[in-house]
Amino acid sequence: MTKFSAKAIKNKLQKKANKAARSSKVTQQVAKKAEETMYKVIKESVYDSYSPLVYERRGESGGLLDPNNIVAKVSGNHITIENLAEPNESVFGDEITGEPQGLLYDWSDQGLIGKSIIMPWGFNSGKWRKDRMGMTLKILSDKEFSDFIAQAIIDDIVSSNK
């Protein structure tokens, strides 16, 4: 009689999932989905949440939604996602020093826009900043994104067992 060991099956499945998660096929798919998720989160958190009165948005033409600014890089089994959008020099009223690439996303994600500048139309409130803060966390906790990752791993396990 064969003994059934749920623990042995769990361990075997975990090893296969770890191997699949490190495969370039899966990491490339996840990197592409990370870019799509970043786009979605920025659109919801920033572009769909208010209409500016003082400036014109760049959106997909050099702004946070520009596909050329949303870049996922794969190195081994590590994926790095960045938004390279540079702020307009007028955002804080001072000349930007240092490397401006990626600052607009970082400032938004950390809640620095709206806190550091005086916004005459009342968006300097905590809620306005908090709604934009934590975009990176929103990307990582996005259910559609995590479900996609799980499905990519499962698909890789299934296809390697054929």
Side-chain angles (χ1 to χ4, degrees):
M1 176 189 288
T2 305
K3 275 186 148 183
F4 172 79
S5 170
K7 184 177 181 181
I9 291 172
K10 178 184 172 189
N11 290 340
K12 186 175 181 180
L13 184 57
Q14 186 64 56
K15 285 180 183 178
K16 288 185 176 203
N18 290 344
K19 182 179 177 184
R22 290 188 304 269
S23 76
S24 63
K25 177 182 170 189
V26 171
T27 55
Q28 291 297 330
Q29 291 174 357
V30 171
K32 179 68 177 148
K33 186 65 173 180
E35 291 174 346
E36 294 169 8
T37 304
M38 177 179 263
Y39 181 97
K40 179 181 92 170
V41 167
I42 291 170
K43 185 162 180 359
E44 291 170 357
S45 296
V46 178
Y47 288 83
D48 290 349
S49 67
Y50 75 99
S51 297
L53 301 173
V54 179
Y55 64 93
E56 193 172 318
R57 286 187 165 150
R58 294 176 291 164
E60 292 186 4
S61 299
L64 290 169
L65 292 180
D66 190 326
N68 295 318
N69 285 335
I70 300 173
V71 179
K73 297 175 186 169
V74 177
S75 176
N77 64 338
H78 292 88
I79 300 168
T80 305
I81 180 105
E82 296 179 284
N83 190 301
L84 305 175
E86 297 179 8
N88 290 322
E89 290 192 14
S90 62
V91 171
F92 287 117
D94 296 325
E95 185 177 329
I96 297 169
T97 58
E99 178 58 49
Q101 199 173 52
L103 277 179
L104 184 57
Y105 179 84
D106 289 345
W107 288 344
S108 296
D109 193 41
Q110 295 170 25
L112 297 176
I113 296 177
K115 178 180 178 185
S116 301
I117 57 178
I118 297 170
M119 296 184 171
W121 57 96
F123 283 131
N124 206 23
S125 69
K127 180 176 174 8
W128 186 85
R129 277 194 333 274
K130 286 178 187 171
D131 288 347
R132 275 137 210 85
M133 287 175 66
M135 289 187 292
T136 300
L137 185 58
K138 289 176 186 175
I139 293 166
L140 294 174
S141 62
D142 184 84
K143 182 169 175 14
E144 184 181 324
F145 184 48
S146 59
D147 288 350
F148 178 88
I149 295 169
Q151 191 62 54
I153 291 170
I154 291 167
D155 291 347
D156 191 73
I157 292 170
V158 170
S159 69
S160 67
N161 285 329
K162 288 183 178 180

